[in-house]
Amino acid sequence: MTHTLTIRRPDDWHLHFRDGVMLEAVVGHTARQFARAIVMPNLTPPVTDVAAGAAYRERILAAVPDGLEFTPLMTCYLTDKTDPEEVRRGFAEGVFTAAKLYPAGATTNSDSGVTDVANIRAVLEVMAEIGMVLCVHGEVTHHAIDIFDREAVFIEQILEPLIADLPDLKVVFEHITSSQGVAFVENASANIAATITPQHLHLNRNAMLVGGMRPHAYCLPVAKREEHRLALVRAATSGSSKFFLGTDSAPHLQSDKESACGCAGIFNAPFALESYLAVFDAENALDKFEGFASEHGPDFYGLPRNEGQITLEKRETEPVPEHFMTSLGPVVPFHAGDRLAWHFAGQLPG
Ligand code: NCD
Ligand code: ZN
């Protein structure tokens, strides 16, 4: 018997679309499943002002395949030099939905990021005043801090002081990977929420390192011990409105991943909902999926929930392709070669 699940149309609250050829190759995968996505600004050069945000939004819209309705929600990449009035204007004009804090050097294309949050104090004050969400890549970058501890140390050294200083600021602690991240968000005020990726629900650090180095399981923040994965599964499937869907789908060419210095990022957009559903189903928490995928995110951002519904089916199908071809070369998706039980079966009219 086919088992089906129908939910309100979901959104992706953390996503990398890239630009140019890669953007063209990946945008349809997200637009097929999601109504909206918070689009990360870590292009080269990064999206640091309103004009760049508006232009990038146009390039994304032009790349959406015909027949799909999709709204990109843009973010402003914060640097030490960001002008608070530029951020205020971008939000007022409806170009920027949120702004993104990358600690300088934390991840892909974060070199122009913030070297000290004190440098963006005036920007954050404006954001708190206007109710604009700060999306945070929550890892310290000091070379002396072990990579597996960088999220926990970020909470203590940066995030706790920041929200004590600006309690009205709305913060999304993005792609959390640790039990410390879960506990911090659970105990924080209603202004603090978190996104959780499919890969951090499926993988612990063994997936990256046992039996050989597995570059396609490498993303930032890195997957941690099993106890942390279990904390994330518990949080995502708990029904708490503080946790919502953010894939962090981050396409890199296969040749850039399988290299002596492989890029961080997992391309999960083609089967994002299927990947999450495997976890919710295993936890007997299918009834919690709609909140996580379609309700908690817009509620936190103060945006309307989507109209319309989608249906997912549990049935036998083909394995996930080993790669997707672009004119630059192949990109390997998350779950390549695996069979996923759930399948996106399409949208129902709103
Ligand atoms: C992202 C990317 O490739 O842009 N990589 C990743 O491992 N998640 C950047 C990021 O979100 O850290
Ligand atoms: Zn990301």
Side-chain angles (χ1 to χ4, degrees), residues 123-132 166-170:
V123 177
L124 300 181
E125 224 172 285
V126 165
M127 291 175 64
E129 178 200 324
I130 63 181
M132 182 176 181
L166 293 166
D168 293 335
L169 183 64
K170 288 169 89 170

Side-chain angles (χ1 to χ4, degrees), residues 48 50 76-78 82-93 96 98-99 123 126-127 130 132:
T48 54
V50 183
C76 178
Y77 184 117
L78 299 177
T82 300
D83 176 357
E85 292 313 310
E86 184 75 4
V87 174
R88 186 195 295 277
R89 186 168 68 85
F91 188 66
E93 292 179 3
F96 290 133
V123 177
V126 165
M127 291 175 64
I130 63 181
M132 182 176 181

